Amino acid sequence: MYRGRYEGKHRKAAAPAHGKALRTGRLTTMVIATVLLLALAIGGTLAWLSTKDAPIQNKFLPTKVTCEVMETFNGSTGVKSNVNVKNTGTIDAFIRVKLVTYRTNDQGQHIGGTASLPTFTLGTGWVKYGDYYYYTKPVAPNQKPETNLTDSMTLIGSYMDTDGGKQAVDVMAEAIQSVPGAAVRAAWGEDFSIDVNGNLVVPTGN
């Protein structure tokens, strides 16, 4: 006689194997989709950041070397005073000055006849070489030498010779960047140099 195991009338039938595999496949698909969405979101954020980053711009402003003569002249006494030169450029510069004298008539017109520079006391830090007076320290932008080329000089108000006229003195200034030394030598001569303190070394003699 066969004795089989009683399963009972209400025992549920086992779920088909392919149903479980279907649920597992859906879960895997959802995980992959989520990962892809995260990757796209991160990639989009990085792309946005890279496009929003502004490039660094380096701006180079050209240097300027200019100067301006500063002086006071009293026409009634013929005294020229406080003769100096201002560095109106944008970089430290060495200054040199040339004094040119000549005769003029009462209308200020240049006339013939010889004229010699009046005697004057040269300021500290100024050195004469050739036809120029050199200030040996570098002058910062918008500054002038610590001492005047001269505090005063008196011009001849009236020549008593046949040429006549009165004396005029023009102050002609030049500036050159203080570094490098090659710039100074190229502009003013190979005999010039700069010492360890950054001061101009003017040739001796002449």
Side-chain angles (χ1 to χ4, degrees):
M1 179 178 180
Y2 172 75
R3 295 180 179 179
R5 187 174 62 180
Y6 176 72
E7 300 292 343
K9 293 182 179 180
H10 303 290
R11 182 178 179 83
K12 294 182 180 180
H18 69 275
K20 183 177 181 181
L22 181 61
R23 288 195 299 273
T24 302
R26 288 178 179 175
L27 180 60
T28 302
T29 301
M30 291 176 65
V31 171
I32 293 173
T34 302
V35 171
L36 288 174
L37 287 174
L38 288 173
L40 289 173
I42 294 172
T45 302
L46 292 176
W48 183 85
L49 289 175
S50 65
T51 56
K52 292 296 182 181
D53 286 341
I56 298 175
Q57 296 181 354
N58 294 320
K59 296 182 179 180
F60 298 94
L61 299 177
T63 57
K64 181 179 66 173
V65 182
T66 54
C67 60
E68 178 184 357
V69 173
M70 314 288 290
E71 64 175 15
T72 302
F73 180 66
N74 188 325
S76 60
T77 62
V79 175
K80 187 185 289 284
S81 59
N82 300 321
V83 180
N84 212 324
V85 180
K86 181 180 180 180
N87 178 4
T88 56
T90 58
I91 189 173
D92 289 3
F94 288 123
I95 302 291
R96 74 175 182 178
V97 170
K98 184 176 183 179
L99 300 177
V100 178
T101 185
Y102 51 92
R103 298 189 190 195
T104 65
N105 57 23
D106 291 337
Q107 289 72 44
Q109 297 171 328
H110 193 165
I111 62 174
T114 60
S116 300
L117 287 173
T119 58
F120 62 91
T121 301
L122 195 62
T124 303
W126 291 87
V127 176
K128 187 177 187 300
Y129 176 70
D131 295 329
Y132 290 89
Y133 301 88
Y134 296 83
Y135 188 67
T136 57
K137 295 181 180 180
V139 180
N142 296 317
Q143 300 297 318
K144 59 184 181 180
E146 297 173 358
T147 56
N148 295 325
L149 171 70
T150 183
D151 289 332
S152 67
M153 63 172 67
T154 302
L155 281 57
I156 297 175
S158 179
Y159 287 96
M160 305 306 295
D161 57 18
T162 55
D163 291 319
K166 56 185 177 181
Q167 186 176 32
V169 174
D170 288 344
V171 181
M172 305 172 67
E174 297 179 15
I176 185 68
Q177 63 190 70
S178 60
V179 290
V184 178
R185 290 190 294 272
W188 291 348
E190 291 296 329
D191 292 334
F192 288 84
S193 61
I194 299 174
D195 65 18
V196 294
N197 296 316
N199 296 326
L200 181 67
V201 179
V202 180
T204 58
N206 193 7

